[in-house]
């Protein structure tokens, strides 16, 4: 295992609900930082919460902007509850902080610190509570950790809640504790308003747990109710630890760790008594020490067997950077940060989409069904990532629709998979929404021929990207969407820059945070999808994200342009038997008329679904319906409003 004096730079982080601690060790020294905790990865914005907490602690440590480590190891709350977000988080951390990322639950790093990577049972009690048992063969059992609504028995939250309940009970004359009521009033103010304060808090469990130190102070003074609260917490934690141990190996040692254990004998003595003499051991180190140990072990490829089991630790490796250690001489400002490597591939290798999933090194040896499950489980992370950028996409959609409504056009730029997906999306719009062929056009690198025979080298031709924009005479009325998984494709970036210079609306879509393509565009949409199941094969998750995003973007634009009515694509071209049957059913459904009436209306309207619907609903001629549609900006609803207004004015 790597020793403390080697050349490896390790960034260890312990992130809980109450606080975040950071330790950077490098040949130049050590830096410590602290900051507020977060709800963690399980929150709706969990990835951003983790990154925010890390940045704050790094600033507190005095780390220079851009500081990187060889390895970042983080124990965090929400690791197990939000497994689908681990890849996105790892991609962000690889991009911004380190070349190897180790993710684990805060209970895992607590276990690693307590037992030095060896077997045992740790009962980790802080704001929440959870127990982890691990044996020498890597088998693990986890108990509790269910969150404050369902579990966290014996936690700081549980102690604080019991104390506040006793305070409120006394306030109402139902027993309780006068001392706890006085302490609660001192901390929170008027107790009559306490329930409202708690229930309206952003993080109620953290707020309630903040009362645990007051309960401890009173217990040390001998206040009976407070003493019994701590005894109950100890007994509950001991029960959790015993059940966790017995489910795996009754001979395993047990220790109590976490922030709550800092109260000392109030908790540790009754905990040990409940488990029996000789069973409980003192932890060797804390969770931050555990994160440091796991990071160094992962860097050496020697994770301890007790903690190397499935779903215990996630290790994701990016491409190594040149002069990584040198970058940390900038921590104290004594040296400049290293210059970027001249080899362009070094920059590509650092991208999250190029990462390697260390848990899949034996993928080719797994059963076929297992391979399929890995692929589909990875794909399941795409939709949540897209939902997080919905506001950004909505702004782009509205801006694009405004350009097209004013007579402009929409162009897609892409190379490889993005180019092919863009070509498919653009080609399907005319038959679906009756758009002119030149309204939305794909400009793939390598031309249309690349749709049949891949020309992957075309993506590096920046001159071609600029030239195709010039050839299409893109102007201020137009919109250009550039799609690139890496966010650094020269063909796409050059095309976007040329389009921007010509006054066109520019939108960059990429699958890595901080993408080069995002710089200088009107709308930057970044959907980090992280490492692929097959490393670097961005036709998988990244491709799925691009397909879903383009399909939604173009569909939403068509909705804004009045190409739909409710869920019906009323501007489609009824060019075959299936589509004519669909048009008849559509007119009948929207207007409530019979199918014979609907078919006759379509015949009179030249099989224009829109015109037929307006004709039936307003009892007008095809010519009058077309006029109403023109006056209603092409929308059925607009045409109906126009027709109604005209009728009322007569």
């Amino acid at each position: 295992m790597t020793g403390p004096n080697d050349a490896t730079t390790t960034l260890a982080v312990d992130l809980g609900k109450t606080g975040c601690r950071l330790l950077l060790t490098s040949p130049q020294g050590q830096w410590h930082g602290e900051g507020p905790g977060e709800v963690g990865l399980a929150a709706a914005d969990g990835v951003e919460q983790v990154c925010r907490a890390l940045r704050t602690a790094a600033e507190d440590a005095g780390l220079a902007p851009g500081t990187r480590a060889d390895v970042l190891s983080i124990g965090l709350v929400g690791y197990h509850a939000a497994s689908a977000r681990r890849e996105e988080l790892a991609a962000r951390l690889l991009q911004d902080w380190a070349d190897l990322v180790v993710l684990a639950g805060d209970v895992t790093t607590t276990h690693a610190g307590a037992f030095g990577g060896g077997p045992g049972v740790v009962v980790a009690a802080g704001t929440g509570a959870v127990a982890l048992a691990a044996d020498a063969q890597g088998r693990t059992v986890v108990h509790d950790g269910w969150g404050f609504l369902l579990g966290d028995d014996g936690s700081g939250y549980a102690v604080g809640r019991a104390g506040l309940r006793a305070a409120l009970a006394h306030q109402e004359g139902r027993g309780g504790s006068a001392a706890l009521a006085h302490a609660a009033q001192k901390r929170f103010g008027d107790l009559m308003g306490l329930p409202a304060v708690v229930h309206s808090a952003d993080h109620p469990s953290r707020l309630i747990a903040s009362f645990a130190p007051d309960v401890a102070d009173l217990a040390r003074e001998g206040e009976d109710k407070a003493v019994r609260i701590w005894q109950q917490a100890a007994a509950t934690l001991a029960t959790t630890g015993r059940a966790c141990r017995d489910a795996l190996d009754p001979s395993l040692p047990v220790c109590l760790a976490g922030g709550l254990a800092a109260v000392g004998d109030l908790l540790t003595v009754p905990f040990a008594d409940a488990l029996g003499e000789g069973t409980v051991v003192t932890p060797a180190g804390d969770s931050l020490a555990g994160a440091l140990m796991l990071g160094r072990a992962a860097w050496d490829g020697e994770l301890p067997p007790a903690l190397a089991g499935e779903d215990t630790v996630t290790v994701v490796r990016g491409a190594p950077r040149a002069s990584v250690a040198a970058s940390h001489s900038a921590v104290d400002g004594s040296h400049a940060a290293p210059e970027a490597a001249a080899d362009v591939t070094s920059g590509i290798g650092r991208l999250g989409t190029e990462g390697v999933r260390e848990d899949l090194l034996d993928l080719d040896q797994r059963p076929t069904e297992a391979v399929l499950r890995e692929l589909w489980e990875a794909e399941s992370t795409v939709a949540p990532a897209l939902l997080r950028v919905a506001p950004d996409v909505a702004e782009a959609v509205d801006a694009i629709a405004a350009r097209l409504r004013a007579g402009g056009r929409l162009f897609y730029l892409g190379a490889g998979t993005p180019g092919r997906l863009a070509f498919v999306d653009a080609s399907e719009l005319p038959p679906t929404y009756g758009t002119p062929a030149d309204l939305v056009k794909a400009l793939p690198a390598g031309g249309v021929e690349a749709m049949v025979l891949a020309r992957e080298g075309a993506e590096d031709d920046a001159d071609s990207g600029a030239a195709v924009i010039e050839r299409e005479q893109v102007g201020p009325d137009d919109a250009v969407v550039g799609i690139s998984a890496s966010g650094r494709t020269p063909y796409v970036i050059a095309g976007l820059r040329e389009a921007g210079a010509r006054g066109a609306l520019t939108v960059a879509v990429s699958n890595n945070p901080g993408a080069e393509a995002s710089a200088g565009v009107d709308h930057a949409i970044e959907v980090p999808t992280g490492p692929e199941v097959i490393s670097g094969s961005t036709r998988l998750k990244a491709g799925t994200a691009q397909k879903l995003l383009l399909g939604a973007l173009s569909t939403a634009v068509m909705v804004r342009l009045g190409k739909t009515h409710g869920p019906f694509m009323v501007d489609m071209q009824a060019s075959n038997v299936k589509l004519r049957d669909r048009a008849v059913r559509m007119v009948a459904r929207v207007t409530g008329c019979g199918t014979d009436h609907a078919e006759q209306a379509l015949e009179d309207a030249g099989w224009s679904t829109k015109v037929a619907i307006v004709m039936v609903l307003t009892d007008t001629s095809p010519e009058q319906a077309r006029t109403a549609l023109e006056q209603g900006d092409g929308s059925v609803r607009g045409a109906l409003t126009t027709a109604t207004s005209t009728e009322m004015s007569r």
Side-chain angles (χ1 to χ4, degrees):
M1 186 176 296
T2 305
N5 297 317
D6 66 6
T8 303
T9 301
T10 305
L11 184 60
V13 182
D14 171 40
L15 174 59
K17 292 180 181 178
T18 301
C20 178
R21 298 183 298 149
L22 173 150
L23 170 64
L24 176 71
T25 66
S26 79
Q28 288 77 35
Q30 293 189 347
W31 289 261
H32 296 264
E34 295 186 3
E38 297 282 2
V39 173
L41 200 56
D45 60 341
V47 172
E48 185 53 44
Q49 281 200 18
V50 174
C51 293
R52 179 171 63 235
L54 180 53
R55 288 194 299 268
T56 302
E59 290 172 2
D60 182 67
L63 301 186
T67 294
R68 286 185 65 85
D70 294 310
V71 55
L72 184 155
S73 177
I74 180 170
L76 66 152
V77 63
Y79 172 84
H80 292 94
S83 58
R85 296 195 182 111
R86 293 178 201 161
E87 291 183 17
E88 181 186 349
L89 175 60
R92 288 281 298 274
L93 298 179
L94 286 170
Q95 177 79 20
D96 298 336
W97 290 97
D99 297 323
L100 182 128
V101 168
V102 181
L103 304 179
D106 51 354
V107 66
T108 300
T109 52
T110 300
H111 191 291
F115 292 103
V121 182
V122 67
V123 180
T127 300
V130 61
L132 169 64
D135 65 12
Q137 289 73 47
R139 297 181 302 167
T140 59
V141 172
V142 176
H143 281 178
D144 204 344
W146 300 335
F148 72 97
L149 291 176
L150 296 175
D152 287 347
D153 297 336
S155 65
Y157 161 77
V159 169
R161 180 175 181 269
L164 290 176
R165 284 172 61 89
L168 291 170
H170 177 79
Q171 178 79 3
E172 294 182 347
R174 297 189 290 116
S177 163
L180 286 168
H182 177 72
Q185 187 173 16
K186 184 177 180 181
R187 178 175 289 272
F188 298 107
D190 183 11
L191 293 187
M192 295 300 293
L194 179 59
V197 170
V198 169
H199 290 297
S200 64
D202 290 336
H203 307 302
S205 62
R206 194 161 64 190
L207 179 66
I208 291 172
S210 70
F211 190 56
D214 299 296
V215 182
D217 289 341
L218 288 172
R220 293 188 186 96
E221 294 173 6
E223 205 283 330
D224 182 63
K225 183 65 175 179
V227 170
R228 283 187 281 119
I229 288 173
W230 282 103
Q231 289 175 339
Q232 180 60 47
T236 302
L237 292 170
T239 298
T240 301
R242 182 185 300 108
C244 193
R245 177 198 65 190
D246 293 349
L248 188 59
D249 181 354
S251 68
L252 289 173
V254 181
C255 76
L256 177 64
L260 200 64
V263 302
D265 292 350
L266 281 175
L267 185 66
T268 58
V269 171
F271 176 83
D273 290 344
L275 280 170
E277 186 177 352
T279 301
V280 178
V281 298
T282 302
D286 63 9
S287 54
L288 190 60
L292 182 64
M293 186 276 291
L294 287 176
R296 288 172 168 169
W299 182 260
D300 286 348
E302 299 175 358
L303 280 175
L307 297 177
E310 184 177 357
D311 204 40
T312 303
V313 177
T314 299
V315 179
V316 182
R317 186 184 300 274
R321 291 193 175 207
S323 304
V324 169
S327 69
H328 297 285
S329 61
V331 170
D332 60 1
S334 58
H335 299 285
E339 294 183 0
D343 183 2
V344 68
T345 60
S346 65
I348 299 172
R350 293 193 296 267
L351 300 173
T353 48
E354 296 294 321
V356 177
R357 284 184 52 182
E358 298 288 326
D359 60 322
L360 298 179
L361 295 180
D362 63 342
L363 182 68
D364 58 318
Q365 298 176 311
R366 298 185 186 183
T368 302
E369 182 179 338
V371 173
L372 292 171
R373 288 184 181 278
E374 287 290 351
L375 289 165
W376 289 331
E377 285 176 3
E379 296 289 327
S380 71
T381 66
V382 172
L386 285 168
L387 288 171
R388 287 191 284 276
V389 299
D392 299 328
V393 181
E395 290 182 3
V397 165
D398 290 340
I400 292 169
R403 299 286 175 121
L404 300 192
R405 199 177 291 113
R409 302 163 295 168
L410 171 62
F411 295 95
Y412 290 146
L413 285 171
T417 296
R420 288 184 277 275
L421 291 172
F423 186 83
V424 170
D425 191 79
S427 65
E428 291 180 343
L429 295 179
T432 306
Y433 298 109
T435 59
D438 61 350
L439 182 67
V440 181
K441 187 174 182 180
L443 305 175
V448 177
E449 296 80 3
M451 299 301 94
V452 179
L453 183 63
R455 295 179 57 188
E456 301 300 332
E459 71 176 58
D460 294 329
D461 190 350
D463 291 342
S464 178
V468 73
I469 294 298
E470 182 178 4
R471 186 177 69 241
E472 294 291 337
Q473 297 183 344
V474 171
D477 293 333
D478 299 323
V480 177
V481 177
I483 312 104
S484 167
S486 66
R488 58 158 303 282
T489 304
Y491 174 86
V492 172
I493 291 175
L496 286 171
R497 300 294 181 268
E498 179 65 23
R502 291 168 167 265
L505 180 80
T506 52
V507 180
V509 177
S510 55
N511 296 105
N512 284 294
E516 183 180 348
S518 297
V521 298
D522 296 306
H523 299 275
I525 301 170
E526 297 178 348
V527 190
T529 48
E532 301 282 2
V533 170
I534 306 301
S535 179
S537 180
T538 51
R539 73 184 186 91
L540 298 175
K541 283 193 306 177
T544 299
Q546 294 157 10
K547 170 68 171 67
L548 292 176
L549 192 147
L550 286 175
L553 182 145
S554 61
T555 299
V557 168
M558 294 300 113
V559 171
R560 293 279 76 88
L561 293 180
K563 298 291 185 179
T564 62
H565 182 71
F568 302 107
M569 45 182 172
V570 293
D571 239 345
M572 72 172 188
Q573 297 176 0
S575 55
N576 60 32
V577 173
K578 178 187 72 174
L579 295 178
R580 290 194 174 207
D581 177 76
R582 182 180 294 164
V584 170
R585 289 185 283 109
M586 202 181 300
V587 172
R589 174 66 177 80
V590 172
T591 65
C593 72
T595 54
D596 290 342
H597 187 178
E599 185 170 0
Q600 184 59 56
L602 283 163
E603 289 280 2
D604 294 342
W607 284 94
S608 168
T609 310
K610 266 183 163 181
V611 173
I613 289 173
V614 175
M615 286 170 55
V616 174
L617 289 176
T618 60
D619 192 22
T620 55
S621 67
E623 292 73 20
Q624 290 172 314
R626 289 191 178 92
T627 299
L629 282 165
E630 290 174 3
Q631 294 173 345
D633 291 328
S635 162
V636 169
R637 293 191 195 280
L640 295 176
T641 300
T642 298
T644 301
S645 300
T646 301
E647 182 66 26
M648 291 179 64
S649 65
R650 290 175 181 173

